[in-house]
Amino acid sequence: MGKRDNRVAYMNPIAMARSRGPVQSSGPTIQDYLNRPRPTWEEVKEQLEKKKKGSKALAEFEEKMNENWKKELEKHREKLLSGNESSSKKRQRKKKEKKKSGRYSSSSSSSSDSSSSSSDSEDEDKRQVKRRKKKKSRSHKSSESSVSESESDSKDGLKKKKKSKDVTEKEKDTKGLSKKRKMYDDKPLSSESSSESDYIEEVRAKKKKSGEEREKTIDKTKKKKKHKKHSKKKKKKAASSSPGSP
């Protein structure tokens, strides 16, 4: 199996063109463009003048259109101005009529108007006073309710603490009594009387100490409540003075 021969003969394109001969031109050549008929300077001036004349005509047309637009705008402005003037005149007439009617009514029934105006002013003053009183009472009620709630909560807490302390003390006393009774049962009768008296004295001393501690705690809580009430009263006074000052 031999290789296929893919070689191609080289052909010079310039030699091929020369062998074909002169090509027939399908359009104007460069020489025709250079040898074209050219206008003179006078003809060029005429053409420029013609262009200027055309631009003048366009400018004249634009000026006419602008004049027409100006006229239309002036008409529209006049209409708007006349409408505004008429509305302002109408308002002035209405005001004058109201003033005249008010004067006539005042001249005809001055006494009745004065009495009605005074009664109206008094009614308005009374209403304002009532509204202020209602606002103040509401603020006082809200503050008092908050104070009473806080006091009731504190009282409930103290009661619960006291109850729990009493219960714990009773339990301790009962436990101590039961223990000492057992001890006394084991000991002889001669020592029972002395031990019982000592135990009673100890219980009394403990009760006194517990009572003194309770009184101290109650005094502290009372002082705290008084301090809280005093601060709340100050706040109430400041709140009542701030809306009532103007």
Side-chain angles (χ1 to χ4, degrees):
M1 292 291 290
K3 287 184 179 180
R4 188 176 290 175
D5 191 5
N6 292 325
R7 288 179 295 175
V8 179
Y10 175 72
M11 303 293 288
N12 192 355
I14 296 165
M16 292 286 287
R18 281 175 186 169
S19 65
R20 285 172 192 164
V23 180
Q24 292 178 358
S25 64
S26 62
T29 60
I30 295 164
Q31 285 180 355
D32 294 333
Y33 177 73
L34 292 170
N35 293 325
R36 73 188 186 280
R38 295 180 183 179
T40 58
W41 182 241
E42 290 177 357
E43 290 176 354
V44 171
K45 282 182 181 179
E46 286 177 0
Q47 286 177 1
L48 290 170
E49 284 176 358
K50 284 179 182 178
K51 284 182 182 178
K52 284 180 182 178
K53 283 178 182 177
S55 64
K56 281 180 183 177
L58 201 145
E60 286 176 358
F61 175 73
E62 285 178 353
E63 284 177 0
K64 285 180 183 178
M65 292 293 290
N66 287 326
E67 285 176 359
N68 292 326
W69 278 110
K70 283 178 183 177
K71 287 177 182 178
E72 287 180 1
L73 287 169
E74 284 176 358
K75 287 178 182 178
H76 191 61
R77 281 175 190 169
E78 285 176 358
K79 285 180 182 178
L80 289 171
L81 291 169
S82 64
N84 290 325
E85 286 176 357
S86 63
S87 63
S88 63
K89 285 178 181 178
K90 284 178 181 178
R91 286 175 186 172
Q92 287 176 0
R93 284 176 187 173
K94 284 180 181 178
K95 285 180 181 178
K96 286 178 181 178
E97 286 175 358
K98 283 181 181 178
K99 284 179 181 178
K100 286 179 181 178
S101 63
R103 284 175 186 174
Y104 285 126
S105 63
S106 63
S107 63
S108 63
S109 60
S110 60
S111 61
S112 63
D113 287 332
S114 61
S115 62
S116 64
S117 62
S118 62
S119 63
D120 291 332
S121 62
E122 287 175 358
D123 292 331
E124 286 178 357
D125 293 330
K126 286 178 181 179
R127 285 174 186 172
Q128 287 178 358
V129 171
K130 284 180 181 178
R131 284 175 186 172
R132 286 178 185 173
K133 284 181 180 179
K134 282 180 181 179
K135 285 180 181 177
K136 285 181 182 179
S137 64
R138 283 176 187 172
S139 63
H140 285 303
K141 283 179 182 178
S142 62
S143 61
E144 286 175 0
S145 64
S146 62
V147 170
S148 62
E149 284 176 358
S150 62
E151 287 177 355
S152 63
D153 292 332
S154 62
K155 285 178 181 178
D156 293 331
L158 288 168
K159 285 179 181 179
K160 286 178 181 178
K161 285 179 182 178
K162 285 178 182 179
K163 286 179 181 179
S164 62
K165 282 180 182 179
D166 293 333
V167 170
T168 52
E169 284 176 359
K170 284 178 181 178
E171 287 177 355
K172 284 178 183 179
D173 293 334
T174 53
K175 285 179 182 179
L177 285 167
S178 63
K179 284 180 182 179
K180 294 221 171 174
R181 278 175 187 173
K182 286 179 182 179
M183 293 288 287
Y184 295 143
D185 292 334
D186 295 332
K187 286 180 182 180
L189 292 168
S190 61
S191 63
E192 281 180 4
S193 60
S194 61
S195 63
E196 283 178 359
S197 62
D198 293 333
Y199 177 69
I200 289 162
E201 286 177 359
E202 286 177 0
V203 170
R204 285 177 183 175
K206 283 181 181 179
K207 284 183 179 178
K208 283 181 182 179
K209 284 181 183 179
S210 64
E212 287 175 359
E213 287 177 356
R214 282 180 192 173
E215 287 177 356
K216 285 179 182 180
T217 53
I218 288 161
D219 292 331
K220 284 180 182 179
T221 53
K222 283 181 180 179
K223 284 179 182 178
K224 284 181 181 179
K225 283 181 182 179
K226 284 180 181 179
H227 185 66
K228 284 181 181 178
K229 284 180 181 179
H230 189 62
S231 62
K232 284 176 181 177
K233 283 180 182 179
K234 282 183 180 179
K235 287 179 182 178
K236 282 181 188 177
K237 285 180 182 179
S240 62
S241 62
S242 61
S245 59

